């Protein structure tokens, strides 16, 4: 099975991982925004979640939220084992690539030219 | 008007609509729910503006995400986003090649869109959402029908009637009240500018019934809403922001109203402007405080009946207006009067029935004007597009011949139109802002002051702008597909070979110019008719310089004066003012109620009631009224001398026909007075909208008007009339300062010259004149420009024909006449269409004209001739240029 995940998909799966049990679209957006500062549109969440659901990484169900949360119908998602494995795979790949490079990355990002040499 | 009702304002509707239409159906509900939750929280934590921007970003992000997903899934994408952007930038680049024409088009369309958006906002504020309260559709006002006075629904009830309705317990009832349309009062102290303010007296539970909360402090308590309680007031949001800089510390401050201390206890919610459109009060005071501000007997009792209370109630849940009306029918609210009580929904009642028809008609007129402007804008843009497609005709025809689809080419032209419309829509926002500022000075029919309407750039307005832009794009795309892309390759090749192009090409442009001329005629004629109405109104009183005439009520009894003290005050005031250099002369008039008169023992049957007035010796001279027959009053007409009277010319005709009325004896019907001998006939001062006044004067020295009992609150109708030496402003200053120096507690109503009041009365006409004049000027410029462009293109296209005619011996004058004849025919057809349009609109405009007919030959003829002359003048240049060309060269080139 293809276990490659885009950056946004990884963010979504991490947001699911961050919560115990099911979580609705609005909470996912809130978590991503508060942790990364990135403004995420509801439409982007639902379409990406559709994709992830199609690949068996997440599951969802629709239920009515309790009155203190507005009482309307919401879609709740939870992480499947396959999803967790794919996320772990991607994260490990990224970590391995980054291993020992953190300092150089920081230096490169801080240097004035912004590059490490001529093109 | 922005949305302010309830705890959370409504999210941007356009964005919401776009999401509901463009996002995948299976997600729409969740997305909208999330967006709305996010909106509610953002408004709270970040403020409205940031929340609005955020909402739009999230909405657009959601739409694009859905689209991307569809494209990625291999669905039919139609026009891609990137493709659209590319098309748009192509369109913009093509338009940049004709900067002047593009700019004129964009400007015109921007004016049109801005004006339509403003008109929409105005109409919406007056008719669609006049009240900014919770569930305005559940709010009702108590009106009544008085069969003796016609079928119209009226408002205003006695205090006991209001109490009966309240005590019946059918529904929550509050009340507002005022005497006269407005109660202008001066606020002093607390650093507030001293000028008249209008007060609305309101029961303590008004805001509760309306479902509103004060934005600062509180509303009145029940104990403050009692007779004799210490005075308190709630400021309107407008006054609070305007005069107190929105300072929250205003609560607890004390202002002075007519020398009485008034504690400010709160500020009314933003957007709440009372219950009548365009008459927003400056401050609210308890209903029962009125007798401390205005002394009238019968305020709370029934004698004399004073109809000053206006109950407003909220229908209980589940009860319809009809059901409540039935319950009301069983009640006897006012046993003393035969009245049919009617519940009217508060939004309908927000515009008084007496002026509703006028306001509606005026809005219709405004709407029609704006539509005409929109038409002009679209015609100009259409003209530009046709010129563009003509210039590209070769290219387009080649594309067609090479197999490009017609719709693809039309889409290209439409995109240019869209770019124009989008630029215009952007520019329309500042245009609308400017228009708002300009409109503030005006008053609509029914005394609705535009500055008091809650107009601002908001989502409804932007929706209007977007709708107008879309509409014009549709018009332009239609024009483009009609004229632009139907030329056959054969035509192009023929014209390149030097043959005369088919006539249809010129006809399409000619149709546009004809349309412009027609619209111009309608607009400029409208402006001319309004201007003529205003001049007619200003010249109602020939020979009287109304700009120097000032009249003000001197209602001393209201300030605690008894008749002898009042008389002394008036005498001293007269002496002081007579010596003032700013004042040429002054007179005093006591205008009592009107009624019928008895002449030589027979009651007259005049078509309107006769006004009774008592005047001093200087009044007639001060106003400038002439005495064409008989004499004026003299010092001999004193108390004890034989009673005398003077009548106006109109009344004289009713009394004696063409004969002299002098010597007849006249008396007010039903008055316990001795008949007076008519000793003179006087010209009358005419007001706007009134017939020639029927009026009889008696000398004030003969004490003929009944003096109202002290404290009864009934006014004696004493008015001071002043003729300024030079400047009305200086005279007004002199009167104000003299009165204040004599007694600081006496306050005069705001004064203006009679000419200024006539101009005030003619505000709707001046408004129409300004709007139609400005739009007419734009239209005139554009149609003259269009005629010039067309004349030039016709002259160029007919060069060959002219060359041949010249070769055959036709003279220059004849050839020029040939070319000018085209212009005359074109403008003539445009004028005919314009006459037809004017005829269609005649009934709408007639209601607002004063002593002018919709087809005033001077105005209509003058405008038509002006348009024709201007069109001919600009066509002369191309005509001369065409006939001056070197024949040999023309023929060779062809």
């Amino acid at each position: 099975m293809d276990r490659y995940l885009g950056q946004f998909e990884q963010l979504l799966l991490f947001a699911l991982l961050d919560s115990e049990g099911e979580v609705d679209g609005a909470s996912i957006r809130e978590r991503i925004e508060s942790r990364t500062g990135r403004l995420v549109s509801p439409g982007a969440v639902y379409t990406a979640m559709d994709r992830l659901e199609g690949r068996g990484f997440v599951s969802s169900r629709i239920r009515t939220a309790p009155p203190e949360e507005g009482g309307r119908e919401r879609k709740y998602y939870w992480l499947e084992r396959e999803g967790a494995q794919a996320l772990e795979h991607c994260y490990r790949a990224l970590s391995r690539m980054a291993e020992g490079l953190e300092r150089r990355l920081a230096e490169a990002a801080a240097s004035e030219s912004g590059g490490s040499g001529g093109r | 008007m922005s949305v302010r009702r309830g705890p959370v304002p409504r999210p941007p509707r356009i964005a919401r609509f776009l999401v509901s239409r463009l996002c995948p159906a299976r997600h729409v509900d969740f997305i909208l729910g999330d967006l709305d939750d996010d909106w509610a929280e953002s408004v709270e934590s970040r403020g409205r503006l940031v929340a609005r921007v955020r909402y739009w970003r999230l909405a657009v992000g959601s739409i694009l995400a859905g689209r991307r997903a569809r494209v990625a899934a291999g669905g039919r994408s139609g026009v891609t986003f990137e493709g659209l952007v590319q098309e748009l930038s192509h369109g913009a680049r093509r338009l940049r090649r004709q900067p002047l024409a593009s700019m004129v088009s964009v400007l015109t369309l921007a004016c049109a869109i801005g004006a339509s958006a403003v008109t929409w906002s105005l109409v919406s504020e007056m008719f669609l959402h006049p009240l900014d309260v919770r569930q305005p559709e559940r709010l009702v006002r108590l009106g009544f029908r008085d069969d003796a006075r016609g079928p119209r629904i009226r408002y205003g009830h006695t205090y006991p009637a209001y109490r009966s309705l309240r005590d019946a317990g059918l529904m929550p009832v509050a009340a507002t009240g005022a005497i006269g349309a407005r109660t202008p009062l001066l606020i002093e102290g607390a650093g507030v500018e001293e000028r008249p303010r209008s007060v609305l007296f309101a029961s303590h539970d008004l805001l509760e019934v309306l479902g509103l909360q004060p934005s600062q402090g509180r509303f009145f308590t029940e104990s403050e809403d009692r007779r004799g309680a210490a005075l308190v007031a709630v400021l309107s949001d407008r006054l609070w922001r305007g005069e107190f800089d929105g300072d929250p510390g205003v609560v607890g401050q004390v202002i002075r109203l007519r020398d009485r201390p008034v504690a400010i206890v709160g500020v009314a919610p933003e957007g709440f402007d009372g219950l009548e459109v365009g008459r927003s009060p400056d401050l609210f005071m308890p209903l029962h405080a009125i007798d401390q501000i205005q002394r009238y007997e019968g305020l709370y009792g029934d004698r004399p009946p004073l109809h000053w209370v206006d109950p407003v109630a909220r229908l209980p849940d589940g009860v319809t207006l009809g059901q409540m009306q039935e319950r009301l029918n069983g009640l006897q609210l006012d046993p003393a009067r035969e009245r049919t009580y009617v519940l009217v929904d508060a939004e309908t009642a927000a515009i008084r029935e007496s002026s509703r028809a006028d306001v509606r008609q005026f809005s219709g007129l405004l709407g029609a004007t704006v539509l005409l402007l929109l038409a002009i804008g679209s015609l100009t843009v259409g003209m530009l597009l046709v010129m563009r497609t003509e210039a590209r005709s070769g290219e387009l025809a080649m594309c067609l011949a090479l197999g490009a689809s017609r719709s693809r080419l039309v889409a290209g032209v439409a995109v240019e139109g869209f770019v124009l419309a989008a630029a215009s829509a952007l520019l329309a926002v500042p245009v609308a802002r400017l228009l708002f500022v300009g409109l503030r000075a005006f008053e609509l029919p029914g005394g609705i002051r535009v500055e008091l309407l809650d107009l601002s750039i908001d989502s409804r307005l932007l929706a209007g702008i977007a709708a107008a832009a879309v509409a014009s794009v549709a018009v332009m795309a239609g024009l483009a597909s009609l004229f632009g892309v139907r030329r056959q390759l054969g035509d192009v090749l023929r014209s390149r070979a030097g043959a005369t192009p088919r006539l249809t090409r010129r006809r399409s442009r000619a149709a546009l110019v004809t349309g412009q001329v027609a619209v111009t005629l309608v607009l400029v004629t409208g402006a001319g008719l309004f201007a003529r109405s205003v001049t007619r109104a200003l010249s109602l009183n020939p020979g009287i310089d109304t700009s120097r005439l000032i009249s003000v009520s001197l209602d001393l009894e209201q300030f605690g004066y008894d008749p002898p003290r009042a008389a002394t005050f008036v005498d001293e005031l007269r002496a002081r003012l007579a010596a003032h250099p700013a004042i040429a002369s002054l007179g005093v008039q006591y205008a009592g109620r009107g009624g019928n008169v008895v002449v030589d023992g027979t009651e007259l049957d005049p078509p309107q009631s006769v006004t009774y007035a008592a005047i001093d010796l200087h009044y007639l001279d001060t106003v400038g009224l002439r005495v064409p027959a008989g004499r004026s009053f003299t010092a001999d007409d004193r108390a004890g001398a034989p009673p005398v009277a003077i009548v106006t010319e109109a009344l004289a005709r009713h009394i004696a026909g063409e004969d002299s009325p002098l010597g007849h004896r006249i008396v007010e019907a039903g008055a316990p007075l001795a008949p007076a001998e008519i000793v003179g006939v006087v010209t009358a001062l005419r007001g706007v909208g009134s017939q020639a006044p029927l009026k009889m004067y008696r000398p004030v020295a003969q004490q003929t008007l009944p003096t109202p009992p002290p404290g009864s609150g009934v006014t004696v109708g004493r008015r001071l009339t002043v003729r300024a030496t030079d400047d009305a402003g200086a005279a007004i200053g002199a009167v104000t300062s003299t009165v204040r120096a004599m007694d600081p507690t006496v306050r005069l109503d705001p004064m203006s010259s009679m000419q200024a009041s006539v101009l005030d009365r003619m505000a709707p006409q001046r408004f129409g004149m300004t709007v139609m004049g400005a739009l007419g000027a734009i239209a005139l410029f554009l149609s003259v420009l269009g005629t010039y462009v067309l004349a030039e293109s016709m002259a160029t296209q007919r060069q060959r024909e002219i060359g041949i005619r010249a070769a055959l011996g036709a003279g220059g004058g004849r050839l020029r006449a040939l070319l000018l004849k085209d212009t005359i025919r074109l403008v003539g057809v445009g004028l005919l269409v314009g006459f037809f349009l004017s005829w269609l609109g005649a009934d709408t405009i007639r209601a607002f004209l004063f002593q002018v007919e919709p087809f005033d030959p001077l105005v209509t003829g003058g405008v038509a001739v002006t348009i024709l002359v201007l069109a001919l003048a600009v066509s002369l240049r191309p005509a001369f240029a065409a006939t001056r060309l070197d024949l040999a060269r023309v023929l060779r080139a062809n």
Side-chain angles (χ1 to χ4, degrees):
Chain A
M1 183 202 273
D2 177 16
R3 288 194 289 182
Y4 173 75
L5 291 169
Q7 194 209 17
F8 183 55
E9 291 169 328
Q10 292 182 40
L11 292 180
L12 290 174
L13 295 186
F14 270 122
L16 287 186
L17 196 63
D18 189 22
S19 56
E20 289 166 15
E22 348 177 302
V23 57
D24 69 324
S27 309
I28 295 174
R29 286 178 41 238
E30 220 174 272
R31 240 158 255 187
I32 296 178
E33 195 177 341
S34 67
R35 284 200 175 216
T36 67
R38 177 172 165 179
L39 184 63
V40 180
S41 71
V45 171
Y46 291 114
T47 44
M49 280 299 193
D50 268 8
R51 215 162 47 230
L52 291 171
E53 201 170 357
R55 292 167 73 186
F57 292 166
V58 299
S59 298
S60 71
R61 66 176 177 136
I62 296 169
R63 66 177 168 86
T64 308
E68 63 272 18
E69 289 173 28
R72 66 179 167 92
E73 279 202 334
R74 290 171 192 258
K75 203 168 183 183
Y76 289 85
Y77 298 91
W78 63 92
L79 188 61
E80 291 291 352
R81 204 164 59 92
E82 289 80 359
Q85 285 171 350
L87 183 61
E88 191 189 23
H89 171 78
C90 286
Y91 182 66
R92 278 197 198 291
L94 190 69
S95 307
R96 275 197 297 274
M97 278 305 289
E99 220 169 63
L101 293 173
E102 284 94 343
R103 221 186 68 209
R104 282 181 69 181
L105 177 63
E107 282 168 10
S111 68
E112 275 184 21
S113 67
S116 51
R119 247 165 246 177
Chain B
M1 185 189 64
S2 43
V3 189
R4 293 179 199 95
R5 64 196 66 141
V8 181
R10 265 189 291 189
R13 273 181 291 177
I14 301 172
R16 227 174 169 281
F17 173 77
L18 291 175
V19 167
S20 70
R21 287 301 153 106
L22 299 176
C23 281
R26 63 183 185 286
H27 293 155
V28 163
D29 288 343
F30 303 123
I31 295 177
L32 286 178
D34 287 1
L35 283 174
D36 290 351
D37 287 351
D38 192 283
W39 163 256
E41 202 202 305
S42 298
V43 167
E44 182 100 340
S45 59
R46 300 178 166 99
R48 284 266 283 275
L49 185 70
V50 176
R52 191 170 285 272
V53 173
R54 188 180 158 89
Y55 195 101
W56 269 99
R57 279 180 67 184
L58 292 177
V60 171
S62 296
I63 293 166
L64 289 178
R67 281 200 68 82
R68 273 197 297 269
R70 215 163 71 192
V71 173
R76 209 177 141 265
S77 65
V79 186
T80 63
F81 189 68
E82 292 72 21
L84 198 65
V85 170
Q86 205 174 21
E87 279 282 0
L88 287 175
S89 72
H90 274 315
R93 231 176 296 152
R94 283 199 295 266
L95 288 169
R96 270 218 306 268
R97 282 185 218 137
Q98 281 181 317
L100 189 72
S102 304
M103 227 147 64
V104 169
S105 310
V106 166
L107 262 176
T108 318
L109 202 55
C111 288
I113 296 174
S116 13
V118 169
T119 308
W120 165 247
S121 169
L122 204 68
V123 169
S124 146
E125 185 65 23
M126 288 192 298
F127 295 112
L128 306 181
H129 307 282
L131 297 181
D132 229 354
V133 301
R134 182 173 63 85
Q135 289 186 303
E137 69 284 355
R138 306 288 303 160
L139 216 56
V140 289
R141 281 180 44 197
L142 184 70
F144 68 91
R145 271 205 194 90
D146 187 343
D147 294 335
R149 292 161 69 191
R152 183 192 291 170
I153 295 176
R154 293 157 202 276
Y155 302 89
H157 303 268
T158 58
Y159 181 82
Y162 152 64
R163 290 303 310 189
S164 315
L165 179 65
R166 202 183 165 95
D167 296 343
L170 294 178
M171 51 187 163
V173 178
T176 62
I179 295 174
R182 275 190 284 246
T183 315
L185 293 171
L186 285 160
I187 301 182
E188 306 152 57
V192 182
E193 194 195 331
E194 229 180 283
R195 65 188 170 89
R197 312 289 176 173
S198 59
V199 176
L200 189 69
F201 295 90
S203 61
H204 64 277
D205 46 7
L206 178 71
L207 287 200
E208 208 179 302
V209 169
L210 299 183
L212 298 173
Q213 291 284 334
S215 70
Q216 303 286 329
R218 57 177 177 82
F219 209 61
F220 320 123
T221 60
E222 202 171 348
S223 60
E224 283 163 344
D225 189 15
R226 288 209 178 114
R227 295 182 70 180
L231 289 178
V232 290
V234 167
L235 303 180
S236 73
D237 185 76
R238 196 185 307 271
L239 186 72
W240 179 56
R241 286 177 201 277
E243 300 286 353
F244 294 88
D245 298 327
D247 173 19
V250 72
V251 175
Q253 283 190 31
V254 175
I255 51 175
R256 293 187 77 78
L257 254 173
R258 281 205 169 151
D259 269 6
R260 285 188 177 77
V262 180
I264 301 173
V265 295
V267 177
E270 187 185 356
F272 173 57
D273 287 324
L275 295 171
E276 286 194 32
V277 170
R279 292 178 196 273
S280 42
D282 290 311
L283 64 165
F284 300 87
M285 292 183 74
L287 193 70
H288 291 88
I290 194 168
D291 64 346
Q292 297 185 53
I293 301 291
Q294 292 186 319
R295 289 180 211 141
Y296 279 89
E297 268 187 11
L299 271 172
Y300 303 107
D302 204 14
R303 253 171 296 165
L306 205 58
H307 302 98
W308 66 284
V309 186
D310 194 359
V312 53
R314 186 169 284 282
L315 295 174
D317 285 340
V319 180
T320 64
L321 192 131
Q323 291 165 338
M324 186 54 76
Q325 179 69 52
E326 269 176 35
R327 292 182 205 174
L328 183 77
N329 291 344
L331 284 183
Q332 181 76 302
L333 291 182
D334 192 352
R337 261 163 289 278
E338 276 293 316
R339 281 185 167 181
T340 319
Y341 289 96
V342 191
L343 290 177
V344 184
D345 78 87
E347 292 202 299
T348 306
I351 295 180
R352 288 270 155 130
E353 204 172 320
S354 53
S355 45
R356 198 173 306 141
D358 274 356
V359 175
R360 248 180 228 285
Q361 231 165 357
F362 194 77
S363 306
L365 189 66
L366 204 61
T369 308
V370 167
L371 271 183
L372 289 177
L373 183 65
L374 211 53
I376 280 265
S378 300
L379 287 172
T380 311
V381 174
M383 185 98 162
L384 175 73
L385 287 181
V386 169
M387 275 162 62
R388 295 264 326 115
T389 44
E390 254 178 37
R392 290 173 60 205
S393 59
E395 176 198 334
L396 292 176
M398 285 289 184
C399 288
L400 273 182
L402 290 175
S405 79
R406 200 163 290 241
S407 62
R408 180 77 189 69
L409 297 181
V410 169
V413 180
V415 164
E416 275 184 39
F418 181 79
V419 172
L420 283 173
S424 310
L426 281 179
L427 193 63
V429 175
V431 168
R433 266 183 209 281
L434 276 179
L435 286 174
F436 276 137
V437 175
L439 282 181
R440 283 178 175 273
F442 290 99
E443 198 166 282
L444 302 179
I448 297 174
R449 287 154 68 199
V450 177
E451 65 171 322
L452 297 183
L453 293 176
D454 201 357
L455 301 178
S456 57
I457 308 272
D458 70 340
S459 58
R460 257 204 319 259
L461 192 63
L462 290 174
I465 290 179
V470 167
S472 46
V473 167
V475 170
M476 286 178 297
L479 283 171
S481 55
L482 259 179
F483 303 134
V485 196
R486 64 168 185 202
R487 205 166 175 193
Q488 300 299 321
L489 189 59
D491 274 359
V492 178
L493 299 179
R494 257 156 54 87
S495 71
R496 287 205 171 162
T500 310
R502 287 188 183 163
L503 264 176
T504 45
R505 306 291 316 129
R506 266 186 284 146
R507 227 180 269 157
S508 57
R509 258 199 220 186
L512 293 176
V513 173
T514 308
Q516 284 182 327
V517 169
V519 173
T520 306
L521 179 84
V522 175
L523 287 175
V524 181
T525 308
L529 290 173
F530 279 132
R532 215 161 142 70
S533 296
V534 175
T535 25
R536 281 276 162 98
L538 284 178
S539 55
L540 263 181
N541 295 294
I544 298 180
D545 181 1
T546 50
S547 69
R548 292 198 289 138
L549 214 56
I550 302 137
S551 166
V552 64
S553 163
L554 204 56
D555 207 355
L556 296 167
E557 287 71 6
Q558 216 189 100
F559 301 97
Y561 277 66
D562 56 16
R565 240 184 103 210
T568 319
F569 185 95
V570 171
D571 285 344
E572 192 186 336
L573 180 66
R574 186 201 307 280
R576 287 196 191 194
L577 287 179
H580 201 289
I583 287 165
S585 70
L586 74 154
V588 177
Q589 176 190 211
Y590 297 76
R593 283 170 169 233
N596 204 350
V597 285
V598 177
V599 178
D600 300 331
T602 317
E603 198 158 318
L604 210 63
D605 188 22
Q608 69 199 76
S609 78
V610 178
T611 311
Y612 315 140
I615 52 175
D616 66 5
L617 298 182
H618 312 285
Y619 176 78
L620 296 182
D621 279 346
T622 301
V623 177
L625 298 176
R626 287 175 299 107
V627 182
R631 64 170 174 91
S632 188
F633 293 137
T634 66
D636 294 334
D637 300 321
R638 62 175 77 86
V644 286
I646 293 178
V647 296
T648 56
E649 288 174 310
L651 183 56
R653 269 194 299 279
H654 275 289
I655 292 171
E658 291 309 308
D659 299 332
S660 167
L662 302 182
H664 289 282
R665 301 189 75 76
I666 188 168
V667 67
E668 297 84 343
L673 295 167
E677 185 193 339
I678 299 176
V679 295
V681 176
V682 71
T683 55
L685 196 59
R686 295 208 47 192
V688 179
S690 60
Q691 294 159 297
L694 304 181
K695 201 164 175 181
M696 67 169 284
Y697 297 100
R698 292 199 187 225
V700 74
Q702 296 189 334
Q703 283 287 343
T704 46
L705 283 180
T707 314
S712 69
V714 177
T715 159
V716 296
R718 185 189 299 105
R719 290 193 77 81
L720 177 71
T721 301
V722 166
R723 170 165 297 282
T725 328
D726 185 29
D727 174 32
I732 290 172
V735 174
T736 313
S737 59
T738 311
V739 167
R740 192 168 291 183
M742 288 171 60
D743 183 349
T745 64
V746 174
R747 296 284 185 203
L748 298 178
D749 287 342
M751 281 174 267
S752 59
S753 73
M754 192 176 150
Q755 189 185 62
S757 353
V758 169
L759 286 175
D760 264 1
R761 276 293 302 265
M762 298 301 284
Q765 284 76 8
R766 286 192 299 133
F767 179 75
M769 181 178 87
T770 316
V771 172
M772 286 190 134
L775 303 187
I778 296 174
L780 187 63
F781 170 74
L782 291 174
S783 53
V784 168
L785 194 74
T787 314
Y788 173 71
V789 172
L790 191 67
E792 196 167 63
S793 94
M794 285 199 291
T796 315
Q797 284 181 355
R798 292 177 75 174
Q799 265 179 10
R800 187 182 149 88
E801 177 199 341
I802 287 170
I804 294 172
R805 281 179 190 267
L808 292 176
R814 227 184 122 91
L815 290 175
R816 280 191 287 278
L818 194 73
L819 287 172
L820 290 181
K821 218 158 70 185
D822 277 351
T823 304
I824 293 177
R825 201 176 306 143
L826 189 74
V827 175
V829 174
L831 291 178
L832 282 181
V833 176
F835 286 137
F836 177 68
L837 289 179
S838 309
W839 176 74
L840 286 182
D843 275 340
T844 311
I845 201 171
R846 182 176 278 122
F848 301 101
L849 297 182
F850 180 71
Q851 296 192 346
V852 181
E853 281 299 305
F855 281 102
D856 188 69
L858 197 75
V859 174
T860 315
V863 172
V865 169
T866 310
I867 294 177
L868 191 62
V869 167
L870 282 177
L872 281 177
V874 295
S875 308
L876 275 178
R877 207 186 81 97
F880 267 102
T883 51
R884 250 194 247 118
L885 285 174
D886 179 1
L887 286 181
R889 249 176 56 198
V890 171
L891 292 176
R892 236 197 342 265
N894 277 296

